[in-house]
Amino acid sequence: MTAPEAESLRIPTAPRRRTAWRGRLPVVAVVALGGACGAAARYAAGLAWPAAVGGFPWTTLWINITGCAVMGVFMVLITEVLAAHRLVRPFFGTGVLGGFTTFSTYAVDVQQLIDRGHARTALAYLAVTPLAALTMVWLSAATTRRVLTRRQR
């Protein structure tokens, strides 16, 4: 086997992985920054509108619905209308909105409602949240497309 043939069969070494990681570092950084911003906004909303013990967790529900509505608008704008910087989508979509919407709190809320003897409320919340969230993504994306189409006429 010749030296060029041996070189073409060589298995990549660690330095190439480090180079790949360095290329992803800006994305990881903007996701972390956006996630911190979104989580801080969610936490502030929870402080401003706390849920009553054993009551329906309206704040978490509205946070998730609002975040999903914004995601629908954002995804239409960023994928169909605007030519944005490559870090906008990971910063805002994954970071800010991922940190703002809170399906982990949703799961904890369901568990706490069950533990406190409010199984019916927990089941209603368990069903309403994903249904409302998915509906809002679809509805906001469809509405955004419709508004943009009418503006172009």
Side-chain angles (χ1 to χ4, degrees):
M1 181 178 291
T2 65
E5 291 172 328
E7 181 63 27
S8 70
L9 296 174
R10 192 169 64 100
I11 297 172
T13 58
R16 289 188 188 202
R17 279 183 265 182
R18 275 187 255 148
T19 302
W21 171 247
R22 256 183 266 198
R24 293 184 185 114
L25 191 58
V27 175
V28 171
V30 298
V31 168
L33 180 62
C37 294
R42 177 186 72 229
Y43 183 72
L47 291 176
W49 301 287
V53 175
F56 195 88
W58 289 105
T59 303
T60 304
L61 177 67
W62 283 110
I63 285 170
N64 287 333
I65 289 172
T66 302
C68 287
V70 172
M71 180 58 77
V73 172
F74 174 70
M75 289 308 296
V76 168
L77 292 177
I78 205 75
T79 61
E80 300 174 21
V81 178
L82 303 172
H85 188 277
R86 72 179 186 91
L87 297 177
V88 169
R89 186 174 177 174
F91 170 75
F92 191 73
T94 305
V96 174
L97 293 177
F100 183 67
T101 57
T102 174
F103 287 92
S104 59
T105 301
Y106 156 71
V108 170
D109 288 343
V110 169
Q111 185 62 52
Q112 288 177 346
L113 287 167
I114 291 169
D115 290 347
R116 293 181 178 139
H118 301 281
R120 281 190 221 160
T121 303
L123 287 173
Y125 182 50
L126 191 65
V128 165
T129 297
L131 182 63
L134 291 171
T135 299
M136 285 311 296
V137 170
W138 175 82
L139 187 61
S140 64
T143 302
T144 302
R145 284 187 189 102
R146 193 170 303 130
V147 167
L148 291 172
T149 300
R150 286 185 182 162
R151 283 185 146 193
Q152 290 175 352
R153 291 181 191 177

